[in-house]
């Protein structure tokens, strides 16, 4: 069992994935540790007077003031870049170069047989950093998984600063002041992006079939899965056979997607309103809609994974031109 | 005795017109010289003369942006040497890989370093982005620098991806085939994408054809990947990097609320 895992992990091009996992876990721990520490300091500091001579710059100042340990409170707030920062950068550069050298001497970059368009390897895999996208092909058609969703990821990242109207947490670690933003980022990055890469690398064997880590990659394994579409699924559980027609599928699909985004945006809105939260007013309708759209587009991936794996549902919407 | 001589040589060097013409500052460790060390050097003056003290902490930036840039420099450096030996055509490309392995002095280490630095850079870019997110450093006034960063993220991935094809082995060939096959499915612009067929898009005029310079991953694709990888995208990346660094400084240095 370990043999197979080790065989995949020790492929030269897969070593970076193992490294990435360790690094991501380490920095995940580090940033949350720093965030919780700051939150604790902040809570303890609430109500304490500002240090002497400190001019007030609103809310943010008191956090940072107390983030310095007691004995450093009196020290100047700024230091010379030369030598203090340049020195650190130099040490860091030497460490990275050393690591790179030690990595490059024993481990050779892979070089396989000359390319041959008649010999398709099974499985054929994209470079590891795109395996998340390739694995999405299981759940979405190529025009969504390969084109639309990557575009949305890029645009979605770009709009983050413009839709995050929370003025707190600017320039220091904190969790308590922006839990929603941090949870969404970690879900997208850690759970979806990184985990999909791991699945794509370690669990996808011949024919892109799913194998548990350690399971032998048997190309002749037969997987009998009969996938049905959303309207057929509804017809089966409700017993109304009329739902199985193409038109019904089209209408049901459109309705479902509209309802998904519509309810996905309306329900939190109403809930926030009942909580008398000011967030929706600060966001405004357009920004709220943008956040909602990208959030629910992202959540469509795990939802489709569950629908597929648990209920064998393939498409939500079937049209003559494209399927979703 | 020896130290005296060394001191004397030092005095001569520091007093010389050549030294003064290059460094334009004294050697003593004075506050003024510390500032001049930064301001008088085109490379170091990417830095401000002073930084906030908490910016020195490892947790503040994880050094990740800097490490990413260092790896970018390593890639440019090793890449130039790889270019000396590499021919982007179907006949020579794979053979050149073998030359690196058996013939070129330090060819193996050169190629290894280029590849591992590339993989590492992909990882450090993600970690850098995560750091910026976790410290909320994309918030005003740094919104635009985050957007520039996203461009750099995409460029890093595409640089890595175009480089993957260049050895012309099975690994790169099929990875790029799988990758560019997705372009077939582009809505409107791909011949298998929604509404592509209705618009008269075929395998011979769609976006995949434009990327590959043909309908298969062949010699033209190799040449295009090479030009993107060695010229077009590094130059673009350097322009974005210049903006990125400049903006980091103009927006008040690495974030911190002091
Ligand atoms: C080729 C890739 C990149 C390089 C070489 C690079 C380099 C740097 C460097 C050296 C800094 C100074 C602070 C630090 O070291 O953390 C910085 C800051 C910054 N980077 Fe990047 N970066 C890259 C990609 C990105 C990406 C992908 C993003 C986000 C999507 C981003 C967003 C930012 C922002 C917002 C700052 C200002 C942070 C602050 O003030 O604390 N960068 N970058």
């Amino acid at each position: 069992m370990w043999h197979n895992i080790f065989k995949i992990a020790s492929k030269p091009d897969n070593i970076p994935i193992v490294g990435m996992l360790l690094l991501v876990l380490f920095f995940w721990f580090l940033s949350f540790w720093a965030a919780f520490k700051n939150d604790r300091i902040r809570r303890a500091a609430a109500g304490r007077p500002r240090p002497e001579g400190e001019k007030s710059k609103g809310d943010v100042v008191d956090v940072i003031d107390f983030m310095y340990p007691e004995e450093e409170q009196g020290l100047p707030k700024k230091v010379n870049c030369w030598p203090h920062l340049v020195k650190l950068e130099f040490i860091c550069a030497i460490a990275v170069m050393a690591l790179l050298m030690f990595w490059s001497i024993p481990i050779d970059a892979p070089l396989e047989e000359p390319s041959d368009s008649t010999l398709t390897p099974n499985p054929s895999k994209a470079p590891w950093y795109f395996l998340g996208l390739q694995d999405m092909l299981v759940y979405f058609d190529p025009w969504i998984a390969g084109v639309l969703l990557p575009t949305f990821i890029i645009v979605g990242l770009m709009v983050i600063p413009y839709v995050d109207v929370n003025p707190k947490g600017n320039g220091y670690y904190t969790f308590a002041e922006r839990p929603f933003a941090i949870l969404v980022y970690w879900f997208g990055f850690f759970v979806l992006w990184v985990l999909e890469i791991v699945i794509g690398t370690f669990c996808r064997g011949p024919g892109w079939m799913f194998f548990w880590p350690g399971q032998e990659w048997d190309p002749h394994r037969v997987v009998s899965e009969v996938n049905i579409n959303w309207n057929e699924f509804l017809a089966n559980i409700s017993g109304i056979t009329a739902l199985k027609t193409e038109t019904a599928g089209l209408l049901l699909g459109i309705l479902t997607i509209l309802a998904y985004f519509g309810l996905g945006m309306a329900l939190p809105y109403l809930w926030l309103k009942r909580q008398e939260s000011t967030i929706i007013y600060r966001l405004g309708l357009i920004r709220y809609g943008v956040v909602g759209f990208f959030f629910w587009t992202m959540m469509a991936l795990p939802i489709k994974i569950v629908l597929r794996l648990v209920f064998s549902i393939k498409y939500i919407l079937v049209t003559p031109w494209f399927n979703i | 005795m020896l130290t005296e001589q060394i001191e004397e040589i030092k005095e001569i060097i520091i007093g010389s017109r050549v030294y003064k013409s290059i460094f334009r500052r004294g050697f003593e460790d004075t506050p003024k010289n510390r500032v001049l060390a930064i301001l008088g050097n085109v490379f170091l003056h990417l830095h401000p003369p002073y930084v906030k003290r908490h910016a020195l902490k490892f947790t503040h930036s994880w050094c990740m942006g800097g490490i990413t840039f260092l790896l970018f420099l390593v890639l440019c450096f090793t890449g130039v040497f790889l270019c000396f030996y590499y021919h982007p055509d179907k006949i020579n490309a794979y053979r050149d890989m073998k030359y690196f392995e058996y013939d070129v002095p330090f060819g193996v280490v050169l190629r290894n370093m280029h590849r591992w630095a590339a993989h590492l850079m992909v990882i450090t870019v993600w970690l850098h982005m995560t750091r910026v997110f976790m410290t909320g450093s994309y918030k005003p006034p740094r919104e635009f620098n985050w957007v520039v960063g996203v461009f750099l993220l995409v460029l890093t991935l595409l640089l890595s991806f175009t480089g993957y094809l260049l050895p012309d082995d099975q690994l790169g060939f099929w990875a790029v085939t799988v990758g560019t096959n997705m372009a077939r499915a582009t809505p409107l612009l791909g011949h298998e994408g929604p509404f592509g067929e209705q618009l008269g898009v075929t395998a011979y005029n769609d976006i995949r054809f434009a990327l590959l310079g043909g309908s298969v991953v062949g010699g033209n694709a190799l040449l295009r990947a090479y030009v993107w990888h060695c010229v077009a995208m590094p130059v673009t990346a350097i322009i974005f990097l210049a903006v990125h660094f400049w903006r980091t400084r103009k927006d008040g240095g690495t974030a911190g609320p002091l």
Side-chain angles (χ1 to χ4, degrees):
Chain A
M1 130 139 207
W2 290 108
H3 176 68
N4 195 33
I5 300 181
F6 182 75
K7 212 168 67 189
I8 306 172
S10 62
K11 270 188 157 178
D13 260 7
N14 289 346
I15 294 173
I17 309 180
V18 181
M20 172 192 69
L21 266 183
L22 296 176
L23 284 172
V24 167
L25 280 174
F26 172 72
F27 283 115
W28 182 72
F29 171 79
L30 187 68
S31 53
F32 273 85
W33 173 79
F36 288 137
K37 195 178 105 193
N38 283 353
D39 289 344
R40 225 176 315 117
I41 294 172
R42 184 184 171 75
R43 243 177 289 124
R48 252 203 277 167
R50 282 206 171 79
E52 281 299 309
E54 194 57 61
K55 50 181 188 311
S56 163
K57 270 198 240 150
D59 202 24
V60 180
V61 178
D62 36 357
V63 202
I64 291 293
D65 283 344
F66 296 113
M67 259 158 44
Y68 285 116
E70 208 71 47
E71 65 275 12
E72 287 184 26
Q73 297 258 338
L75 292 178
K77 292 266 144 84
K78 291 196 163 188
V79 292
N80 275 110
C81 194
W82 173 285
H84 298 292
L85 181 64
V86 179
K87 176 182 72 187
L88 291 179
E89 289 174 344
F90 186 64
I91 294 171
C92 181
I94 289 182
V96 173
M97 290 305 296
L99 173 89
L100 194 60
M101 295 264 195
F102 279 120
W103 185 356
S104 298
I105 291 171
I107 301 176
D108 283 344
L111 183 67
E112 298 191 348
E113 301 294 303
S115 69
D116 184 345
S117 57
T118 60
L119 262 183
T120 314
N122 189 7
S124 320
K125 291 194 178 180
W128 63 267
Y129 38 83
F130 285 149
L131 279 183
L133 301 180
Q134 198 181 354
D135 200 54
M136 290 200 300
L137 286 172
V138 176
Y139 311 105
F140 288 103
D141 276 359
W143 69 278
I144 303 181
V147 185
L148 211 62
L149 289 182
T151 313
F152 283 166
I153 293 174
I154 296 169
V155 178
L157 282 173
M158 284 183 186
V159 300
I160 287 176
Y162 301 99
V163 296
D164 186 348
V165 290
N166 181 358
K168 290 185 183 164
N170 184 345
Y172 54 94
Y173 294 97
T174 169
F175 180 75
E177 293 177 352
R178 42 200 286 260
F180 180 71
I182 288 178
L183 287 179
V184 172
Y185 182 87
W186 276 99
F187 187 74
F189 177 61
F190 195 64
V191 177
L192 295 184
W193 186 253
V194 174
L195 225 61
E196 276 280 53
I197 289 177
V198 172
I199 291 175
T201 312
F202 292 100
C203 305
R204 293 296 181 183
W208 210 256
M209 282 186 290
F210 187 92
F211 294 88
W212 288 104
Q215 206 180 342
E216 214 43 60
W217 281 10
D218 172 13
H220 304 296
R221 192 179 73 162
V222 184
V223 186
S224 58
E225 51 175 335
V226 184
N227 286 322
I228 53 174
N229 294 334
W230 176 232
N231 61 322
E232 294 163 338
F233 175 77
L234 288 183
N236 287 350
I237 54 168
S238 67
I240 309 171
T241 42
L243 290 177
K244 286 201 177 177
T245 61
E246 232 170 76
T247 341
L250 190 70
L251 286 177
L252 261 178
I254 293 174
L255 274 179
T256 309
I257 291 173
L258 284 180
Y260 173 71
F261 280 103
L263 288 179
M265 293 195 206
L267 292 181
Y269 184 87
L270 294 177
W271 184 76
L272 285 172
K273 197 132 196 185
R274 264 201 44 198
Q275 302 283 310
E276 290 172 6
S277 156
T278 55
I279 292 173
I280 37 178
Y281 300 108
R282 273 187 284 141
L283 268 174
L285 215 56
I286 294 177
R287 275 189 290 232
Y288 180 83
V290 172
V291 175
F293 173 76
F294 281 112
F295 179 77
W296 289 110
T297 309
M298 178 172 103
M299 295 314 280
L301 176 64
I303 289 175
K304 260 207 106 171
I305 292 178
V306 170
L307 286 181
R308 178 59 157 282
L309 297 183
V310 181
F311 301 106
S312 299
I313 293 173
K314 189 163 167 74
Y315 292 124
I316 299 297
L317 168 64
V318 181
T319 76
W321 312 280
F322 60 86
N323 307 315
I324 293 177
Chain B
M1 183 62 198
L2 190 66
T3 43
E4 261 170 44
Q5 276 172 345
I6 292 177
E7 277 301 310
E8 228 169 83
I9 295 173
K10 199 178 111 188
E11 287 307 314
I12 294 173
I13 294 176
I14 293 170
S16 75
R17 274 181 78 169
V18 178
Y19 180 91
K20 281 184 179 159
S21 77
I22 298 173
F23 291 103
R24 300 197 166 168
R25 67 182 174 94
F27 198 71
E28 309 79 49
D29 187 15
T30 63
K32 184 171 162 237
N33 278 342
R34 287 182 170 202
V35 172
L36 286 178
I38 298 291
L39 295 185
N41 182 310
V42 67
F43 304 108
L44 288 179
H45 103 286
L46 284 174
H47 300 99
Y50 297 97
V51 287
K52 299 155 205 145
R53 190 151 40 81
H54 67 87
L56 297 179
K57 286 189 190 169
F58 176 70
T59 43
H60 178 70
S61 75
W62 306 346
C63 262
M64 270 308 153
I67 292 177
T68 312
F69 184 54
L70 174 73
L71 290 169
F72 181 77
L73 293 179
V74 170
L75 285 163
C76 291
F77 187 80
T78 49
V80 167
F81 283 97
L82 290 172
C83 273
F84 285 162
Y85 299 97
Y86 177 81
H87 304 80
D89 60 63
K90 283 300 255 189
I91 297 169
N92 285 304
Y94 187 77
R95 214 184 274 170
D96 290 335
M97 292 303 122
K98 288 289 175 195
Y99 280 135
F100 280 120
E101 212 173 322
Y102 297 112
D103 232 13
V104 178
F106 299 106
V108 177
V109 175
L110 194 63
R111 181 160 173 252
N112 291 353
M113 269 185 90
H114 195 75
R115 190 167 192 109
W116 300 139
H119 282 321
L120 208 55
M121 184 173 166
V122 170
I123 298 171
T124 55
V125 157
W126 294 350
L127 291 176
H128 171 59
M129 181 170 84
T130 303
R131 188 290 286 179
V132 172
F133 190 91
M134 290 304 282
T135 54
S137 300
Y138 58 83
K139 300 193 175 197
R142 297 186 176 78
E143 304 103 310
F144 182 66
N145 212 16
W146 170 272
V147 176
V148 174
V150 176
F151 276 103
L152 284 168
L153 171 76
V154 176
L155 277 169
T156 307
L157 291 174
L158 289 181
L159 269 165
S160 197
F161 184 62
T162 48
Y164 222 69
L165 181 65
L166 298 182
D168 196 28
D169 64 345
Q170 283 285 73
L171 190 65
F173 179 86
W174 286 101
V176 170
T177 304
V178 169
T180 50
N181 270 348
M182 297 206 190
R184 283 177 210 252
T186 313
L188 309 178
L189 299 176
H191 71 280
E192 284 172 7
F195 306 111
E197 205 182 315
Q198 285 81 354
L199 288 172
V201 177
T202 69
Y204 301 97
N205 62 6
D206 70 347
I207 183 157
R208 181 167 171 274
F209 193 92
L211 290 174
L212 295 178
S215 58
V216 293
V217 181
N220 285 351
L222 201 56
L223 183 61
R224 281 189 191 200
Y226 177 78
V227 175
W228 279 116
H229 185 75
C230 303
V231 186
M233 285 203 286
V235 170
T236 318
I238 287 169
I239 293 169
F240 275 98
L241 280 175
V243 177
H244 196 60
F245 295 157
W246 183 74
R247 281 304 284 243
T248 307
R249 270 207 62 187
K250 292 289 155 180
D251 293 342
T254 56
L258 284 182

